[in-house]
Amino acid sequence: MNWLRKLPGYQRTPYGFELRLLRLMPRVLVLGSLLPLLLSGLVRLFYTEGSAAEIERHIEVFDFAMIGLAVLLLTAVLTISIGCVIVWLMKGPAYVADGYDVSHSDKPKPD
Protein backbone atom coordinates (compact mmCIF):
# COMPACT_ATOMS: atom_id res chain seq x y z
CA MET A 1 0.00 0.00 0.00
CA ASN A 2 1.36 3.39 -0.98
CA TRP A 3 0.84 5.78 1.96
CA LEU A 4 1.89 8.87 0.03
CA ARG A 5 -0.39 8.50 -2.98
CA LYS A 6 -1.15 11.85 -4.55
CA LEU A 7 -4.75 12.83 -5.13
CA PRO A 8 -5.51 12.39 -8.85
CA GLY A 9 -6.28 15.58 -10.75
CA TYR A 10 -4.92 17.90 -8.06
CA GLN A 11 -3.08 20.97 -9.29
CA ARG A 12 -0.50 22.66 -7.11
CA THR A 13 -1.17 26.18 -5.95
CA PRO A 14 1.57 28.55 -7.06
CA TYR A 15 3.84 29.82 -4.34
CA GLY A 16 3.39 33.42 -3.38
CA PHE A 17 4.31 35.83 -0.64
CA GLU A 18 5.20 33.12 1.88
CA LEU A 19 8.21 31.91 -0.12
CA ARG A 20 9.51 35.45 -0.65
CA LEU A 21 9.07 36.13 3.06
CA LEU A 22 10.80 32.88 4.01
CA ARG A 23 13.79 33.76 1.81
CA LEU A 24 13.96 37.18 3.49
CA MET A 25 14.12 35.81 7.06
CA PRO A 26 17.91 35.10 7.21
CA ARG A 27 18.67 38.70 6.24
CA VAL A 28 16.16 40.00 8.79
CA LEU A 29 17.73 37.80 11.46
CA VAL A 30 21.28 39.00 10.73
CA LEU A 31 20.37 42.67 10.45
CA GLY A 32 18.08 42.42 13.46
CA SER A 33 20.92 40.97 15.50
CA LEU A 34 23.45 43.52 14.34
CA LEU A 35 21.24 46.55 14.99
CA PRO A 36 21.05 46.13 18.80
CA LEU A 37 24.76 45.35 18.88
CA LEU A 38 25.55 48.49 16.92
CA LEU A 39 23.27 50.63 19.09
CA SER A 40 24.84 49.20 22.23
CA GLY A 41 28.28 50.15 20.94
CA LEU A 42 27.15 53.65 19.97
CA VAL A 43 25.66 54.34 23.39
CA ARG A 44 29.05 53.59 24.95
CA LEU A 45 30.68 56.17 22.71
CA PHE A 46 28.19 59.01 23.01
CA TYR A 47 26.70 58.73 26.50
CA THR A 48 28.95 60.80 28.77
CA GLU A 49 26.64 62.76 31.09
CA GLY A 50 26.69 62.09 34.84
CA SER A 51 29.00 60.26 37.19
CA ALA A 52 30.73 57.02 36.30
CA ALA A 53 28.21 54.98 38.32
CA GLU A 54 25.24 56.66 36.59
CA ILE A 55 26.75 56.14 33.15
CA GLU A 56 27.41 52.48 33.93
CA ARG A 57 23.85 51.98 35.21
CA HIS A 58 22.28 53.64 32.16
CA ILE A 59 24.44 51.64 29.79
CA GLU A 60 23.53 48.43 31.61
CA VAL A 61 19.80 49.20 31.36
CA PHE A 62 20.24 50.01 27.66
CA ASP A 63 22.11 46.73 27.15
CA PHE A 64 19.24 44.82 28.77
CA ALA A 65 16.79 46.58 26.47
CA MET A 66 18.90 45.66 23.44
CA ILE A 67 19.07 42.02 24.58
CA GLY A 68 15.28 42.07 24.90
CA LEU A 69 14.98 43.57 21.41
CA ALA A 70 17.26 40.88 19.96
CA VAL A 71 15.28 38.10 21.64
CA LEU A 72 12.01 39.64 20.45
CA LEU A 73 13.32 39.75 16.89
CA LEU A 74 14.57 36.17 17.10
CA THR A 75 11.19 34.89 18.26
CA ALA A 76 9.36 36.97 15.64
CA VAL A 77 11.59 35.59 12.86
CA LEU A 78 11.12 32.05 14.15
CA THR A 79 7.33 32.43 14.38
CA ILE A 80 7.02 33.98 10.91
CA SER A 81 9.30 31.30 9.44
CA ILE A 82 7.22 28.49 10.96
CA GLY A 83 4.07 30.09 9.54
CA CYS A 84 5.65 30.40 6.10
CA VAL A 85 6.75 26.76 6.13
CA ILE A 86 3.24 25.65 7.11
CA VAL A 87 1.67 27.65 4.27
CA TRP A 88 4.35 26.40 1.85
CA LEU A 89 3.61 22.79 2.81
CA MET A 90 -0.14 23.31 2.56
CA LYS A 91 0.24 24.57 -1.01
CA GLY A 92 2.08 21.40 -1.99
CA PRO A 93 0.46 18.37 -3.61
CA ALA A 94 -2.61 16.83 -2.00
CA TYR A 95 -2.42 13.26 -0.78
CA VAL A 96 -5.16 10.71 -0.32
CA ALA A 97 -5.98 10.62 3.39
CA ASP A 98 -8.55 7.83 3.76
CA GLY A 99 -8.17 5.36 0.96
CA TYR A 100 -10.02 2.47 2.63
CA ASP A 101 -13.68 1.55 2.25
CA VAL A 102 -16.04 2.04 5.14
CA SER A 103 -18.75 -0.62 5.21
CA HIS A 104 -21.58 1.70 6.25
CA SER A 105 -20.54 4.87 4.43
CA ASP A 106 -23.43 4.90 1.93
CA LYS A 107 -25.92 2.93 4.09
CA PRO A 108 -25.83 4.14 7.70
CA LYS A 109 -27.30 1.84 10.33
CA PRO A 110 -30.72 2.86 11.61
CA ASP A 111 -30.86 3.62 15.35
Side-chain angles (χ1 to χ4, degrees):
M1 176 178 208
N2 186 4
W3 289 94
L4 296 175
R5 191 178 59 181
K6 292 183 181 179
L7 196 61
Y10 180 79
Q11 294 181 356
R12 294 181 80 149
T13 306
Y15 299 120
F17 183 66
E18 76 280 350
L19 197 57
R20 285 184 285 164
L21 193 60
L22 190 61
R23 287 181 180 157
L24 186 66
M25 285 298 112
R27 280 184 257 157
V28 170
L29 183 63
V30 169
L31 292 177
S33 299
L34 289 178
L35 181 67
L37 187 64
L38 178 67
L39 290 176
S40 184
L42 287 176
V43 81
R44 283 173 168 66
L45 292 175
F46 294 116
Y47 192 75
T48 58
E49 295 180 12
S51 66
E54 288 176 349
I55 293 172
E56 184 178 343
R57 186 173 64 84
H58 287 292
I59 289 176
E60 186 175 338
V61 168
F62 190 79
D63 284 344
F64 287 143
M66 291 301 105
I67 290 170
L69 180 65
V71 169
L72 173 73
L73 228 121
L74 174 68
T75 56
V77 165
L78 183 66
T79 304
I80 291 170
S81 297
I82 289 171
C84 288
V85 167
I86 289 171
V87 171
W88 181 56
L89 289 174
M90 289 174 66
K91 286 186 172 183
Y95 293 97
V96 176
D98 295 328
Y100 59 91
D101 294 328
V102 180
S103 60
H104 64 279
S105 64
D106 54 348
K107 299 176 191 171
K109 293 180 183 177
D111 291 326

